[in-house]
Amino acid sequence: MFEKISQHESVLFCNDPSTGLKAIIAIHDTTLGPALGGCRMRPYPSTDEAIEDALRLSKGMTYKCAGADVDFGGGKAVIIGDPLTDKSPELFRAFGQFVDSLNGRFYTGTDMGTTPEDFVHSQKETPCIVGIPEEFGGSGDSSVPTAQGVIYSLRATMQAMEGTDDLSGKSYSIQGLGKVGFKVAEKLLEDGAHLYVTDINGKALQQIIEKAEFLPGTLEVVEGEEIYGVNADVFIPCALGGIINDYTIDRLKVKAVVGSANNQLLEDRHGVYLGQKGILYAPDYIVNAGGLIQVADELYGPNKARVLNKTKAIYDSLLKIFQTSKEQNISTVEAANRFCEMKIEQRKTRNSFFSHSKRPKWQVKH
Ligand code: NAD
């Protein structure tokens, strides 16, 4: 077991029999600041699987925070339990007490299986909570900056491919018209683009059809897997992970893949395969960082203009990543990882100027 966690700074097991709470908090790296990462709730089949999820996801957060240039490191929490039957205000208060015991080393909020409202209970026990509803002082719906980040990423990708970041007059295929996908589709229709869209939810499709009637762009609905084979310029995955794999890459006719879905590549090698096929891949954790930027920004008090400004920087980060990938003949995934590792290394060098006791206090939210 110690082998498994040797890349992480610390792992905390949280056990509270009175509320039934069983949780794991993994802190991967705090070079850039306190660890930040959502809290996932799932009925994990075994403790080992819960630990592995926490370790993997917290490491991913270290890279995502570095890429988004927020002053946080990587962490993640998982609660072992069924979100439909095992939740209670007391359980989330107990979880909040464990988070508080870390004295500002870990900030958390909603993820799969948990809602912003759950953490209103946790917040009674600790100030280290982000992403709570606006009426409780939070910054509200994170899909707004996430969708803006996707649009900036599309512009950067167009700039890298065609020397202009104009999105109009192009065609896009969008998988998933939920909170993020719908907003991206709406913006592209406003710009006069042609869209191919798919969703398993008929209501979401109906809503975008109605919207398109009043906008300059045009829209075609396609069924399920047909989305992979349409003749679009860019594929925008906004639903599931793992959808870039051997099967789909062989069907894709697009020039680029740029979307919000988490963990789009089934395996890392699929990032390389996309490049070999001449398809430019914008790494998902760089593209979808708008939501993270918003929750990280909450520490200074909610401010939409500041969040938008920071989200715009995704454009320049992606251009740098594309350039490194081209110059060094490496995949864009590898280039993105190096981009983030370099930021962490640079900070380590700077940190060495301070003695440990003189470092700034992490707990800034009071
Ligand atoms: P959502 O649940 O609101 O929307 C997902 C949409 O995808 C739904 O409309 C759903 O019906 C559709 N869908 C599910 N399976 C599908 C399939 N097989 N084919 C076509 N459509 C399918 O989620 P969201 O908040 O819009 O997030 C979309 C993706 O972006 C997710 O992968 C999420 O993890 C990621 N993401 C979201 C945010 C955010 O701020 N919301 C931030 C970072 C990453």
Side-chain angles (χ1 to χ4, degrees):
M1 174 58 67
F2 208 76
E3 261 301 285
K4 270 190 192 168
I5 63 171
S6 60
Q7 289 181 352
H8 287 66
E9 284 182 16
S10 45
V11 178
L12 176 71
F13 291 83
C14 316
N15 197 13
D16 182 52
S18 69
T19 60
L21 175 75
K22 279 190 193 318
I24 296 156
I25 298 173
I27 295 181
H28 176 252
D29 188 299
T30 60
T31 307
L32 298 178
L36 173 66
C39 173
R40 193 166 269 203
M41 183 165 186
R42 265 187 66 192
Y44 288 95
S46 69
T47 309
D48 263 12
E49 280 165 83
I51 296 169
E52 289 204 3
D53 220 19
L55 295 179
R56 181 178 61 84
L57 294 166
S58 58
K59 183 174 177 189
M61 284 307 295
T62 298
Y63 281 76
K64 192 163 175 173
C65 287
D69 206 19
V70 296
D71 293 327
F72 282 97
K76 203 82 183 184
V78 299
I79 295 178
I80 303 171
D82 187 336
L84 295 178
T85 52
D86 296 338
K87 281 186 183 179
S88 68
E90 293 74 23
L91 180 137
F92 280 95
R93 283 190 79 145
F95 176 70
Q97 288 179 3
F98 280 105
V99 172
D100 206 54
S101 74
L102 292 166
N103 273 321
R105 283 189 71 221
F106 177 62
Y107 281 75
T108 192
T110 184
D111 198 87
M112 266 168 54
T114 59
T115 64
E117 286 70 24
D118 294 330
F119 293 95
V120 171
H121 304 296
S122 306
Q123 207 192 20
K124 291 174 185 160
E125 306 291 342
T126 178
C128 300
I129 299 292
V130 290
I132 51 165
E134 272 176 293
E135 61 269 32
F136 288 95
S139 53
D141 185 358
S142 68
S143 67
V144 174
T146 303
Q148 282 165 339
V150 175
I151 294 292
Y152 286 119
S153 301
L154 285 166
R155 290 197 188 289
T157 307
M158 280 298 170
Q159 180 67 37
M161 288 193 307
E162 317 221 333
T164 164
D165 63 7
D166 187 2
L167 299 179
S168 63
K170 297 281 188 305
S171 57
Y172 305 87
S173 47
I174 306 184
Q175 184 181 49
L177 295 162
K179 294 185 289 296
V180 178
F182 189 89
K183 294 179 184 76
V184 172
E186 198 179 359
K187 174 74 180 90
L188 292 172
L189 287 169
E190 280 167 11
D191 280 1
H194 179 71
L195 303 187
Y196 300 90
V197 297
T198 190
D199 197 298
I200 50 169
N201 177 354
K203 215 167 138 190
L205 289 171
Q206 195 48 41
Q207 278 171 347
I208 200 71
I209 291 169
E210 284 166 19
K211 196 89 204 175
E213 280 178 34
F214 302 98
L215 294 170
T218 48
L219 184 87
E220 266 175 69
V221 172
V222 301
E223 284 287 319
E225 293 195 350
E226 278 177 43
I227 198 74
Y228 301 120
V230 296
N231 248 322
D233 291 300
V234 184
F235 175 42
I236 308 177
C238 290
L240 310 164
I243 37 78
I244 301 296
N245 50 50
D246 293 330
Y247 173 80
T248 58
I249 293 175
D250 287 342
R251 274 153 192 78
L252 287 175
K253 298 194 181 89
V254 292
K255 298 178 203 150
V257 176
V258 185
S260 75
N262 276 313
N263 307 317
Q264 289 165 29
L265 304 176
L266 186 62
E267 294 169 35
D268 282 351
R269 70 180 173 85
H270 291 115
V272 179
Y273 191 26
L274 275 177
Q276 287 165 348
K277 286 263 180 175
I279 300 171
L280 186 57
Y281 175 62
D284 49 12
Y285 74 90
I286 303 289
V287 173
N288 69 19
L292 166 72
I293 289 169
Q294 175 161 297
V295 294
D297 186 79
E298 273 184 19
L299 292 186
Y300 310 105
N303 182 311
K304 291 191 192 315
R306 202 169 49 215
V307 170
L308 178 60
N309 246 335
K310 194 135 199 172
T311 304
K312 273 186 194 164
I314 294 176
Y315 180 100
D316 289 327
S317 301
L318 260 186
L319 281 182
K320 277 185 201 147
I321 289 165
F322 290 148
Q323 195 183 346
T324 307
S325 152
K326 202 170 164 186
E327 283 171 3
Q328 300 184 14
N329 197 21
I330 53 175
S331 74
T332 53
V333 178
E334 182 59 33
N337 291 346
R338 288 190 195 175
F339 176 77
C340 298
E341 283 158 7
M342 192 188 66
K343 286 189 182 207
I344 296 166
E345 278 314 307
Q346 282 171 345
R347 182 71 67 87
K348 272 185 187 155
T349 319
R350 252 182 292 155
N351 279 356
S352 67
F353 288 114
F354 298 101
S355 77
H356 192 76
S357 61
K358 282 185 188 158
R359 280 191 198 166
K361 274 262 177 240
W362 278 330
Q363 199 147 349
V364 286
K365 193 184 181 189
H366 269 305

